[in-house]
Amino acid sequence: MKKFKFFLSKCLDMKKSDIDVDMKKVKKILFYKIEWKIGEYITSSFVIREIKKKYPNIQIDVFVGKSGGMEELLKSNKYIDNIFIYDRKKKLEEIKMKRKILKNSKKEKYDIFFDFSEETEIKPRQMWFMRKINADVNVGYGKNLYKIYNKNVDKKRERMDNIWEKALEKLNIKNINKSYDVPLKDEAEKNIEKYFLENHINESIAVNFFGSINKRKISIENAIILLNSLRKQYPEYKINILDSPADRKKIFEILKKNIENVYYYENTSSIFDAISIIKNSKIIVSPDTSIIHIAEGLDKKIIAFYEKREIEKERYVINKKNKIIIYKDGINNLDYNSLDYSI
């Protein structure tokens, strides 16, 4: 089936001539991403901002599949004009959303189609959609197999912010600021400020134990060891356990141990609460790249857990000034008693 889909995509492929882009003439850009995870979004957030700042009259639209917390983040982005979001599990919803975009594009076509995906192969339905959009410029990463991409960044071992910077250079957008856009919400800011005051939290560490998949989730036993180790290493700091809706039972099990100066904000309602806690903390500890990149965007000290193969890929590795703890055969095979948590 995979080979057939690749064959079909190649049959639908069409050559787009390379052109020199005059951004002053560009009116509309469509950003395309089937699954945009929070960490991926944060590391690419500067792309949309830098285009809009340099060319404020360009209409920027985003087509994206739903994933945890992403809709809230996109809606908070003042540089996006229209968001077309759909449930990735419902193919009919995807088709309807694409038809809506195509209908709107008949009035005024998109000049640039910007593909944020990292896969080297694309599905036939995306190729069909790109043909229908018929943008003058199609920007991609690692899409050397297809002629429809007339602006492509070759796949190399480097950080994603460098890759997207090169994509912007292909559009003649240079001298940019690559700092991440980490959105804040007034309501969350006020709630977390109140929570910190009520618990007399000044110097603090924010700890997240749970990645998005099981092999990145720290066990209850290791989480307790980690908390006790941090308390010894940083006795003057209070510790906040960051919420993870799918893992709340484990969080409450950890809290039952009544470790001194360990807190948990139970009224978490969105990703913005976590962002505000991170903003008000000195050190962030996490195996989850979403939390890690939010912390990096807020210029925090970070103790990050990375699987060895993720380090080798380099794309989402944080700045080397931070502490990186590498694991190979599962995050719970580390000896948490002997780890060095100094930073």
Side-chain angles (χ1 to χ4, degrees):
M1 180 59 79
K2 189 177 179 181
K3 287 183 179 179
F4 175 73
K5 285 182 177 180
F6 175 70
F7 171 75
L8 190 55
S9 291
K10 290 293 287 180
C11 289
L12 290 169
D13 196 8
M14 61 182 284
K15 184 174 177 58
K16 281 277 183 181
S17 299
D18 192 11
I19 60 172
D20 188 45
V21 181
D22 183 354
M23 289 300 294
K24 291 178 182 177
K25 294 180 180 179
V26 172
K27 294 181 180 179
K28 291 175 69 179
I29 301 175
L30 179 65
F31 285 89
Y32 182 94
K33 178 75 171 171
I34 294 296
E35 183 182 9
W36 219 350
K37 295 176 182 175
I38 292 173
E40 294 171 344
Y41 169 75
I42 294 294
T43 58
S44 61
S45 57
F46 69 91
V47 175
I48 293 172
R49 180 195 67 222
E50 291 301 293
I51 292 174
K52 200 72 167 180
K53 279 192 169 183
K54 290 179 183 290
Y55 305 98
N57 294 325
I58 291 178
Q59 178 180 315
I60 293 180
D61 297 346
V62 171
F63 173 84
V64 63
K66 282 181 183 177
S67 59
M70 269 309 303
E71 190 168 2
E72 295 170 298
L73 289 176
L74 289 169
K75 285 180 177 177
S76 72
N77 191 326
K78 63 183 179 181
Y79 304 111
I80 296 174
D81 294 291
N82 298 296
I83 302 165
F84 300 97
I85 192 163
Y86 70 96
D87 189 334
R88 289 183 291 116
K89 295 177 183 177
K90 298 176 181 178
K91 297 299 177 189
L92 187 60
E93 196 172 306
E94 178 185 351
I95 292 167
K96 286 180 179 178
M97 196 60 72
K98 283 180 176 177
R99 282 179 177 171
K100 184 178 179 181
I101 293 171
L102 291 170
K103 185 179 179 181
N104 291 340
S105 68
K106 284 180 181 179
K107 299 172 187 175
E108 186 175 44
K109 68 174 284 188
Y110 287 101
D111 301 287
I112 298 172
F113 179 95
F114 199 116
D115 184 357
F116 263 131
S117 68
E118 297 171 36
E119 295 79 14
T120 53
E121 295 183 17
I122 66 173
K123 293 178 180 178
R125 64 177 182 267
Q126 179 180 333
M127 184 64 76
W128 171 86
F129 184 57
M130 289 178 70
R131 286 187 65 131
K132 288 289 185 181
I133 288 290
N134 195 28
D136 296 323
V137 177
N138 294 314
V139 183
Y141 162 59
K143 301 297 189 296
N144 310 68
L145 295 171
Y146 304 99
K147 298 174 184 177
I148 199 167
Y149 291 90
N150 50 358
K151 299 290 181 185
N152 178 63
V153 179
D154 292 333
K155 209 156 194 172
K156 292 180 181 177
R157 276 185 56 184
E158 57 184 322
R159 277 171 51 111
M160 289 309 298
D161 56 349
N162 294 330
I163 289 164
W164 299 130
E165 180 183 22
K166 288 178 180 178
L168 287 178
E169 286 175 355
K170 289 184 178 290
L171 299 176
N172 293 318
I173 300 173
K174 300 174 182 178
N175 302 316
I176 61 164
N177 173 11
K178 289 195 294 180
S179 64
Y180 302 159
D181 256 1
V182 180
L184 297 163
K185 224 174 194 177
D186 289 341
E187 185 182 0
E189 285 282 270
K190 289 174 184 175
N191 289 339
I192 298 307
E193 183 183 2
K194 183 183 176 184
Y195 161 73
F196 269 61
L197 285 170
E198 287 175 348
N199 290 285
H200 308 289
I201 300 171
N202 295 313
E203 302 289 298
S204 67
I205 301 170
V207 181
N208 165 55
F209 299 115
F210 310 107
S212 57
I213 54 177
N214 284 331
K215 66 179 180 179
R216 288 182 182 169
K217 293 179 186 288
I218 298 173
S219 68
I220 293 172
E221 181 185 1
N222 285 328
I224 292 165
I225 296 170
L226 173 55
L227 287 173
N228 282 317
S229 298
L230 289 171
R231 288 287 302 119
K232 286 180 183 177
Q233 184 92 40
Y234 305 96
E236 72 279 17
Y237 283 63
K238 292 186 176 181
I239 299 173
N240 279 300
I241 298 176
L242 291 172
D243 188 37
S244 174
D247 303 285
R248 281 178 183 157
K249 284 185 179 179
K250 292 179 182 178
I251 291 173
F252 290 127
E253 284 298 314
I254 294 165
L255 291 169
K256 283 180 183 178
K257 294 296 178 181
N258 293 317
I259 300 170
E260 188 183 8
N261 285 331
V262 172
Y263 298 82
Y264 168 61
Y265 181 64
E266 293 189 33
N267 297 321
T268 297
S269 60
S270 74
I271 184 66
F272 294 103
D273 294 314
I275 292 172
S276 292
I277 291 173
I278 292 167
K279 180 194 168 192
N280 286 282
S281 302
K282 297 286 186 183
I283 301 170
I284 314 302
V285 183
S286 177
D288 182 69
T289 51
S290 300
I291 299 298
I292 288 167
H293 291 302
I294 288 169
E296 189 176 27
L298 294 170
D299 197 27
K300 298 297 176 179
K301 292 181 179 180
I302 306 165
I303 301 171
F305 292 81
Y306 273 92
E307 191 175 4
K308 189 173 185 290
R309 67 183 184 88
E310 294 299 324
I311 294 291
E312 291 167 352
K313 285 181 183 177
E314 268 188 52
R315 288 180 293 186
Y316 291 102
V317 177
I318 53 171
N319 193 297
K320 297 293 192 295
K321 71 177 183 178
N322 295 294
K323 182 91 168 188
I324 297 176
I325 297 170
I326 302 170
Y327 62 93
K328 185 179 178 182
D329 300 314
I331 197 165
N332 288 303
N333 289 324
L334 290 166
D335 182 356
Y336 284 80
N337 282 305
S338 63
L339 291 176
D340 177 15
Y341 300 103
S342 60
I343 184 170

